[in-house]
Amino acid sequence: MWRTLTLLICAAIAGPAAAGVAVVPDCAGPVMARAAVSRVDRDGSLILERGRAAVLEGIRLPLREDGAPPLLADQTLVALARLVRDGPVALAATEPLRDRYDRLRAQAFASVWLQRALLERGLARVMIAPDRSDCAPDLYEAEAAARKAGRGLWALPAYRVRAAGAALKADAGSFQIVEGRVVNIGAGGGRSFLDFDADWRRGFSAVIAGEDRKTFRRADFDLEALRGRRIRLRGMVEMFAGHPEIALSNPAQIEMLD
């Protein structure tokens, strides 16, 4: 297994060759900085000259701290370091610009768009923040290509897309991608629910807190339109009243499958 994993990851690192300088798409926002990367930190953040730092917005890397296999985690950081080693990186961002650690939340561009390059190699998954969804369609497209090809982390059962159901209890406390058909939409206790089983107590639900409904309304997102539809969503699996759920805070967490 480890030999197979090594070969798959090495192939992912090599990835498709990039040519020229990556173009910054409008969805990434304005370029806030151009800087050389001194090193890649163990959490995947980019440490820039003069000690500044940037974090790659919109993706989640497989890291040791999240339980990723050490080989996969280490090779992911090596791949990222190789992508930024040959010159300055352009960092584009939209509001809010910084995280709680004062790191710039950026789409990053060297000779390639770093987020897309990692996703295409199967060395990251898309992770949409509550307050940012820049370039989500592009990132989903890159992730889907790697998943279809079984590259990198997609070759491992631990990262497979989960089916919505009670079995997700085993994934509590972890970030997961979940697919299923919405059978009921309701509300209660100040929250909205998307249920994937006629009896919500037996299955899995997606929940939207009252304050997060504002984000869906601003996006003119009709929750009722999801009834009967097959969707894919992602987030941290948590337990509530004995059954698994994922909190949705941004419509971009949802992909329509039919």
Side-chain angles (χ1 to χ4, degrees):
M1 175 182 175
W2 285 109
R3 182 175 182 275
T4 301
L5 177 58
T6 300
L7 292 173
L8 287 166
I9 293 173
C10 288
I13 290 173
V21 176
V23 175
V24 179
D26 291 340
C27 63
V31 174
M32 307 303 296
R34 297 180 188 273
V37 176
S38 299
R39 62 183 173 86
V40 174
D41 211 350
R42 61 182 293 174
D43 63 359
S45 57
L46 307 180
I47 308 304
L48 312 174
E49 52 196 1
R50 299 180 184 176
R52 295 174 297 167
V55 62
L56 298 178
E57 181 70 17
I59 63 172
R60 186 182 184 94
L61 302 176
L63 300 174
R64 287 174 179 249
E65 290 79 358
D66 289 335
L71 177 61
L72 174 63
D74 292 347
Q75 297 286 7
T76 297
L77 297 179
V78 168
L80 179 55
R82 288 178 176 173
L83 290 171
V84 301
R85 69 184 175 183
D86 292 329
V89 173
L91 301 167
T94 59
E95 295 286 350
L97 296 178
R98 298 189 176 276
D99 67 7
R100 60 178 176 171
Y101 303 111
D102 200 37
R103 300 177 298 185
L104 181 65
R105 298 168 56 183
Q107 297 293 328
F109 303 84
S111 61
V112 294
W113 182 357
L114 298 190
Q115 278 91 334
R116 274 203 71 118
L118 291 168
L119 289 166
E120 287 170 350
R121 291 160 168 77
L123 298 178
R125 291 175 290 175
V126 177
M127 183 176 72
I128 302 298
D131 54 358
R132 294 265 298 269
S133 54
D134 33 300
C135 302
D138 301 89
L139 301 181
Y140 280 139
E141 179 183 59
E143 179 192 88
R147 186 167 58 244
K148 183 177 181 180
R151 298 188 195 115
L153 61 82
W154 299 112
L156 304 178
Y159 292 95
R160 74 182 188 280
V161 176
R162 302 309 202 243
L168 278 163
K169 289 180 180 180
D171 294 310
S174 66
F175 179 88
Q176 297 295 338
I177 301 173
V178 181
E179 291 182 2
R181 191 170 300 279
V182 179
V183 300
N184 183 56
I185 299 173
R191 308 195 304 171
S192 296
F193 304 91
L194 306 178
D195 295 325
F196 293 78
D197 192 293
D199 181 353
W200 69 270
R201 290 165 294 189
R202 297 186 311 182
F204 163 81
S205 298
V207 299
I208 305 170
E211 59 269 25
D212 291 324
R213 283 299 307 271
K214 298 176 184 177
T215 303
F216 283 77
R217 286 194 291 268
R218 284 195 296 268
D220 197 25
F221 191 96
D222 181 12
L223 286 178
E224 281 296 326
L226 297 179
R227 192 184 298 272
R229 301 288 297 276
R230 185 169 180 80
I231 65 174
R232 180 187 300 131
L233 50 86
R234 61 193 63 217
M236 298 297 294
V237 177
E238 305 292 350
M239 298 298 295
F240 179 81
H243 89 291
E245 61 182 32
I246 284 179
L248 301 178
S249 52
N250 188 327
Q253 286 175 264
I254 301 172
E255 296 176 84
M256 308 298 291
L257 301 181
D258 63 14

